[in-house]
């Protein structure tokens, strides 16, 4: 029964006896459903939270591993940079040695290879490979690494320029050296005999036959019969024959206006038109022609004029080999 007020009609609701069991049951079922829903939601939230936590933990570990790897790679790159910088210093030291060698080559090309030249380094070089080192451990910062990168880059750029210039200089020096070697080879600088005994020099003397003053246009070198006679420079035999004045004689042209003459031979070992190499045996010493005894009459002609051979006698045959 519902009594709304004094002036209103009373409302009566008649429920069956079964409602006394149904209504509480419904209320109980509603509460049970509520708690089941809360439980399911709580379970789902817990599982979702746990899954998210595991995912976050996995991502965190992955990020830590990646950071560790990047740090290791960065440290390796820094070590490689240090090695590159040290190798650059070593290469610069080697390049300085090559430059000194190139300077020696230039000197040799200028002197024609007849002077003894030596070169020594007065400065040390840093190898960067020693194991006996020490010091405190101080980590590097990004600015120091950047400076090392910049310095190494500049050094490498400078080395490239130095190498290009050095290659050009070496090429030029090689050409000069080859030309110097060619000139040395065709210049009569050897003694034509094993004997060093000069019995008659270049210049005015008494003729051994007439005793009158005459011009002796060469050097007379003493020796034994059939001693070896060597050509004093590379060239081409332009004359090989016999006459009453010179006996068996050989004339060799060395180009550049230079010729050498070998007289009074007992035997000739080369023929006209034959090319000869410096120090080659071309004849045997004798006393043919206008001669008073066994010897070699040796002459040097420059542009068709007989000159004193003495300044050209500066090398033994063994030095040329």
């Amino acid at each position: 029964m519902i009594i709304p007020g004094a002036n209103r009609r009373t409302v009566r609701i008649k429920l069956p006896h079964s409602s006394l069991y149904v209504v509480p049951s419904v209320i109980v079922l509603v509460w049970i459903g509520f708690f089941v829903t809360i439980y399911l939601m709580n379970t789902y939230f817990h599982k979702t939270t746990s899954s998210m936590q595991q995912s976050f933990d996995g991502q965190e570990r992955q990020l830590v591993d990646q950071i560790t790897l990047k740090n290791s790679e960065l440290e390796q790159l820094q070590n490689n940079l240090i090695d590159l910088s040290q190798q650059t210093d070593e290469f610069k030291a080697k390049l300085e040695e090559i430059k000194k060698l190139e300077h020696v080559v230039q000197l040799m090309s200028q002197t024609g290879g007849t002077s003894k030249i030596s070169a020594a380094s007065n400065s040390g070089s840093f190898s960067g490979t020693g194991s006996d080192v020490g010091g405190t451990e101080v980590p590097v910062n990004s600015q120091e690494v950047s400076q090392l990168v910049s310095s190494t880059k500049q050094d490498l750029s400078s080395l490239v320029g130095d190498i290009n210039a050095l290659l050009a200089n070496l090429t030029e020096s090689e050409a000069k050296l080859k030309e110097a070697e060619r000139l040395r080879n065709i210049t009569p600088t050897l003694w034509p005999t094993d004997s060093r005994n000069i019995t008659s020099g270049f210049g005015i003397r008494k003729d051994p036959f007439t005793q009158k003053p005459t011009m002796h246009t060469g050097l007379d070198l003493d020796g034994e019969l059939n001693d070896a006679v060597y050509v004093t420079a590379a060239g081409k035999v332009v004359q090989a024959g016999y006459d009453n004045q010179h006996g068996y004689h050989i004339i060799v042209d060395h180009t550049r206006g230079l010729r050498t003459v070998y007289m009074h031979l007992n035997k000739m070992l080369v023929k006209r038109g034959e090319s000869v190499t410096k120090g080659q045996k071309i004849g045997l010493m004798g006393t043919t022609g206008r001669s008073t005894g066994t010897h070699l009459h040796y002459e040097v002609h420059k542009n068709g004029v007989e000159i004193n051979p003495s300044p050209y006698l500066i090398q033994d045959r063994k030095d040329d080999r």
Side-chain angles (χ1 to χ4, degrees), residues 32 34 48 100 103 113 131 170 185 242 244:
I32 291 173
F34 175 74
T48 303
K100 292 173 183 176
H103 179 64
S131 59
L170 283 175
N185 196 40
Y242 178 88
N244 292 331

Side-chain angles (χ1 to χ4, degrees), residues 72-90:
S72 177
E73 291 178 350
L74 179 60
E75 183 179 353
Q76 183 63 39
L77 287 175
Q78 291 175 347
N79 290 332
N80 291 340
L81 178 60
I82 293 173
D83 292 339
L84 179 61
S85 177
Q86 292 177 349
Q87 291 173 1
T88 302
D89 291 337
E90 294 175 17

Side-chain angles (χ1 to χ4, degrees), residues 103-121:
H103 179 64
V104 172
V105 172
Q106 286 184 340
L107 292 178
M108 290 177 64
S109 66
Q110 293 172 2
T111 58
T114 60
S115 299
K116 305 297 182 181
I117 302 173
S118 62
S121 174

Side-chain angles (χ1 to χ4, degrees), residues 150-165:
S150 177
S151 175
T152 304
K153 183 178 180 181
Q154 292 177 357
D155 288 342
L156 289 174
S157 299
S158 176
L159 284 176
V160 170
D162 289 342
I163 290 172
N164 290 333

Side-chain angles (χ1 to χ4, degrees), residues 158-228:
S158 176
L159 284 176
V160 170
D162 289 342
I163 290 172
N164 290 333
L166 181 60
L167 289 175
N169 290 337
L170 283 175
T171 300
E172 181 180 355
S173 297
E174 182 182 10
K176 291 180 179 179
L177 191 59
K178 287 182 178 179
E179 176 62 16
E181 175 65 17
R182 187 187 72 85
L183 294 178
R184 184 188 67 84
N185 196 40
I186 63 174
T187 302
T189 57
L190 300 183
W191 283 80
T193 62
D194 294 324
S195 170
R196 300 294 180 269
N197 185 18
I198 300 176
T199 57
S200 183
F202 179 88
I204 299 175
R205 68 171 185 178
K206 287 184 178 181
D207 187 88
F209 291 95
T210 65
Q211 299 301 311
K212 295 179 179 180
T214 56
M215 181 65 183
H216 189 228
T217 57
L219 297 179
D220 288 341
L221 299 174
D222 191 20
E224 301 294 332
L225 185 66
N226 292 328
D227 279 353

